[in-house]
């Protein structure tokens, strides 16, 4: 008898011995080993501090994943603070960058951290996935450097929309129980390096056109939250990133939307 069939046999036999399947599973499947999981996490990105610090899953707590670029990296700790005691807030092990690498990086995290790929690894399911792509799609690169004069745009709007469709199909197929929340891309300011002012609006429109087909996906309009406060929240003129006030306010809004959908 093969091992898989033997395990099934024992599971069935457990019912006759008065042992429930859930109790029996505890004998056949080891729970997450923190030391092993922490090592696997460090192997993914080599970082274990700040937004990228290892989060050990707590039983009985909802599991939330933040996927995004440097904007989400900036508000990750604020979200964790706001949802402390309400949810475990994880984030992608690295910068999520463009829509072209979304599925690849999600798969890498899954196969590196979760059972059965990692023995004694994570064995939970995501309750909420809050995700964004766009700011790295609309930028222009020349020899891997920001350059809107001589560079080429990373992802055309047509390709961006196609990527988003694939991303949604992937998330709904792989994580059917998860509540999906899409965050709109924050504004590109005047004179931004490697990016044109107004492109966030175009890419957000493209994203919303795609997501209109999936009304069950919640929209977190971070663009509209940020735009009126952009001058006050930006690190400096022409920079797409935000100061402590901006990151805190964005984090509060992300946490509010997540809490509403837990």
């Amino acid at each position: 008898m093969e091992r898989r069939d033997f395990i099934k046999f024992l599971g069935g036999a457990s019912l006759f011995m008065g042992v429930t399947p859930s109790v029996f599973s505890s004998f056949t499947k080891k729970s997450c080993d923190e030391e092993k999981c922490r090592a696997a996490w460090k192997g993914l990105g080599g970082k274990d501090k700040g937004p990228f610090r290892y989060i050990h899953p707590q039983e009985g707590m909802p599991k939330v994943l933040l996927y995004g670029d440097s904007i989400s990296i900036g508000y990750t700790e604020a979200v964790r603070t706001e949802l402390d005691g309400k949810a475990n807030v994880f984030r992608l092990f690295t910068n999520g960058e463009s829509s072209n690498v979304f599925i690849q990086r999600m798969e890498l995290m899954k196969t590196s951290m979760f059972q059965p790929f990692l023995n004694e690894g994570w064995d939970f399911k995501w309750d909420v996935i809050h995700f964004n792509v766009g700011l790295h799609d609309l930028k222009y690169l020349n020899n891997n450097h920001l350059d809107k004069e001589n560079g080429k745009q990373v992802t055309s709007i047509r390709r961006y929309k196609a990527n988003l469709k694939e991303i949604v199909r992937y998330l709904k197929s792989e994580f059917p129980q998860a509540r999906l929340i899409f965050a709109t891309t924050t504004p590109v300011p005047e004179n931004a390096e490697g990016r044109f002012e107004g492109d966030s609006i175009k890419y957000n429109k493209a994203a919303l056109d795609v997501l209109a087909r999936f009304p069950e996906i919640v929209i977190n309009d971070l663009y509209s939250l940020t735009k009126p406060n952009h001058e006050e929240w930006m690190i400096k003129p022409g920079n797409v990133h935000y100061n402590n006030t901006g990151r805190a306010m964005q984090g509060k809004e992300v946490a509010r939307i997540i809490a509403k959908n837990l």
Side-chain angles (χ1 to χ4, degrees):
M1 181 182 294
E2 293 185 359
R3 182 179 183 277
R4 182 173 57 184
D5 295 330
F6 181 63
I7 292 296
K8 288 182 179 179
F9 169 76
L10 288 179
S14 68
L15 297 175
F16 294 97
M17 294 187 291
V19 180
T20 65
S22 60
V23 172
F24 173 74
S25 67
S26 68
F27 293 106
T28 60
K29 183 179 182 181
K30 293 184 178 180
S31 60
C32 177
D33 180 272
E34 182 169 357
E35 184 176 350
K36 181 176 287 188
C37 290
R38 186 181 293 275
W41 179 260
K42 188 174 181 180
L44 272 172
K47 299 178 182 178
D48 189 8
K49 59 182 179 180
F52 297 105
R53 61 191 167 91
Y54 173 76
I55 301 295
H56 194 63
Q58 295 176 273
E59 291 187 12
M61 294 272 281
K63 309 299 187 295
V64 175
L65 174 65
L66 301 180
Y67 186 111
D69 51 36
S70 55
I71 306 304
S72 76
I73 294 171
Y75 61 64
T76 292
E77 289 300 294
V79 176
R80 286 174 174 161
T81 298
E82 292 293 318
L83 294 180
D84 185 35
K86 300 176 183 177
N88 282 165
V89 180
F90 303 76
R91 72 152 290 107
L92 186 69
F93 57 90
T94 187
N95 190 318
E97 297 186 335
S98 76
S99 61
N100 300 301
V101 298
F102 185 102
I103 295 174
Q104 173 189 339
R105 291 185 178 176
M106 285 291 290
E107 280 291 289
L108 180 57
M109 184 165 65
K110 183 181 74 173
T111 56
S112 298
M113 298 304 304
F114 283 88
Q115 298 184 42
F117 307 100
L118 176 65
N119 184 32
E120 299 179 71
W122 290 348
D123 60 354
F124 61 85
K125 295 180 180 179
W126 298 117
D127 294 286
V128 172
I129 298 176
H130 181 283
F131 68 106
N132 164 262
V133 284
L135 199 59
H136 280 257
D137 291 279
L138 58 80
K139 70 183 180 182
Y140 290 77
L141 294 178
N142 183 19
N143 292 324
N144 212 32
H145 290 90
L146 291 169
D147 185 347
K148 61 186 178 186
E149 285 76 31
N150 304 301
K152 180 180 179 182
Q153 195 168 41
V154 171
T155 315
S156 68
I157 286 182
R158 181 178 179 181
R159 182 71 252 169
Y160 180 66
K161 294 177 74 171
N163 286 348
L164 270 182
K165 291 176 186 176
E166 289 301 313
I167 287 170
V168 171
R169 291 192 190 103
Y170 168 81
L171 291 174
K172 292 176 71 65
S173 174
E174 288 291 322
F175 315 103
Q177 74 292 329
R179 185 69 158 162
L180 302 180
I181 304 174
F182 179 82
T184 56
T185 298
T186 48
V188 174
E190 183 182 6
N191 298 322
E193 185 179 9
R195 297 176 173 92
F196 287 100
E197 183 182 15
D199 273 0
S200 287
I201 297 173
K202 298 175 184 178
Y203 278 70
N204 282 333
K205 182 182 183 304
L208 295 178
D209 285 347
V210 171
L211 297 176
R213 307 176 189 181
F214 306 95
E216 69 277 11
I217 297 178
V218 177
I219 304 300
N220 181 6
D221 194 0
L222 283 185
Y223 178 92
S224 294
L225 172 80
T226 304
K227 181 61 176 177
N229 305 287
H230 204 228
E231 290 188 9
E232 178 186 352
W233 291 359
M234 70 171 70
I235 290 179
K236 60 182 180 180
N239 196 297
V240 298
H241 299 101
Y242 301 96
N243 57 29
N244 290 338
T245 300
R247 292 194 294 266
M249 296 306 294
Q250 289 169 340
K252 284 185 178 182
E253 179 64 5
V254 171
R256 185 187 72 82
I257 297 293
I258 290 172
K260 187 176 179 181
N261 286 279
L262 283 176

